[in-house]
């Protein structure tokens, strides 16, 4: 069993990733969420909904740029230039969200504040992935096989 760090594991995408990893037998470490869940269990209102969120509102494009710059800083820029140059602009699908954010106001009312900034969480996540290149290749291969299977079924 491997140990995988997930930041934002309580969000929409992060929670789906965490579920999938746990189903595959991976040990998932979720930054910030455990403390928030403990607080809600101790003093939260039964039946109330609490979003575990850093409330960092960032556009998808800006998030991609942050990740590219972080990778450039950690690995050096490729010969072709910054990884930001690899960002491809495509026609948006109808009603596509240009940003995602969870409102963590109820959790803040309980006195909970993020201990990890968006940038720090991205750095930790990248470090975790870089330390586990074998796992990343396995996931990439599994994903490609699943996509191929789905395409064949169409």
């Amino acid at each position: 069993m491997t140990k995988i760090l997930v930041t934002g594991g309580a969000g929409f995408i992060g929670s789906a990733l965490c579920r999938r990893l746990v189903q595959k037998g991976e040990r998932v470490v979720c930054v910030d969420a455990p403390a928030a869940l403990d607080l809600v269990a101790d003093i939260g209102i039964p039946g109330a909904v609490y979003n575990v969120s850093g409330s960092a509102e960032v556009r998808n494009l800006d998030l991609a740029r942050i990740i590219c710059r972080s990778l450039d800083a950690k690995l050096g820029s490729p010969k072709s230039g910054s990884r930001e140059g690899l960002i491809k602009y495509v026609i948006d699908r109808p009603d596509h969200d240009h940003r995602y954010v969870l409102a963590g106001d109820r959790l803040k009312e309980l006195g909970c504040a993020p201990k990890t900034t968006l940038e720090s969480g991205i750095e930790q996540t990248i470090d975790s992935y870089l330390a586990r290149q074998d796992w990343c290749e396995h996931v990439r291969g599994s994903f490609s096989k699943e996509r191929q299977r789905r395409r064949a079924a169409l």
Side-chain angles (χ1 to χ4, degrees):
M1 181 184 304
T2 57
K3 179 179 174 183
I4 300 167
L5 173 72
V6 177
T7 58
F12 177 72
I13 295 170
S15 62
L17 174 64
C18 288
R19 272 194 307 280
R20 186 165 185 186
L21 292 172
V22 169
Q23 288 169 350
K24 290 185 173 210
E26 305 289 358
R27 183 171 163 226
V28 177
V29 176
C30 206
V31 179
D32 281 351
L37 296 175
D38 284 344
L39 185 65
V40 169
D42 288 344
I43 62 173
I45 300 167
V49 175
Y50 295 90
N51 291 322
V52 181
S53 164
S55 297
E57 187 169 342
V58 60
R59 294 180 322 139
N60 297 344
L61 179 58
D62 294 332
L63 181 60
R65 288 178 175 150
I66 291 168
I67 292 169
C68 288
R69 283 193 296 265
S70 180
L71 284 167
D72 285 348
K74 290 178 180 304
L75 302 175
S77 294
K79 290 180 182 178
S80 59
S82 171
R83 285 173 175 82
E84 283 189 60
L86 298 173
I87 295 172
K88 301 286 186 228
Y89 298 89
V90 297
I91 297 171
D92 282 334
R93 65 185 187 270
D95 299 321
H96 178 240
D97 295 324
H98 293 274
R99 63 177 174 73
Y100 300 97
V101 65
L102 283 175
D105 298 339
R106 283 193 178 157
L107 204 52
K108 285 179 186 173
E109 290 171 8
L110 299 180
C112 186
K115 294 178 180 68
T116 306
T117 64
L118 174 69
E119 290 79 6
S120 173
I122 289 172
E123 296 286 329
Q124 291 175 43
T125 302
I126 289 172
D127 288 343
S128 177
Y129 289 159
L130 291 175
R132 292 298 323 278
Q133 287 295 303
D134 57 332
W135 176 82
C136 291
E137 288 303 319
H138 171 73
V139 170
R140 187 177 299 133
S142 297
F143 179 72
S144 294
K145 289 176 189 171
E146 177 65 18
R147 287 183 79 182
Q148 289 170 2
R149 185 187 67 75
R150 286 184 182 175
R151 282 186 184 154
L154 293 177

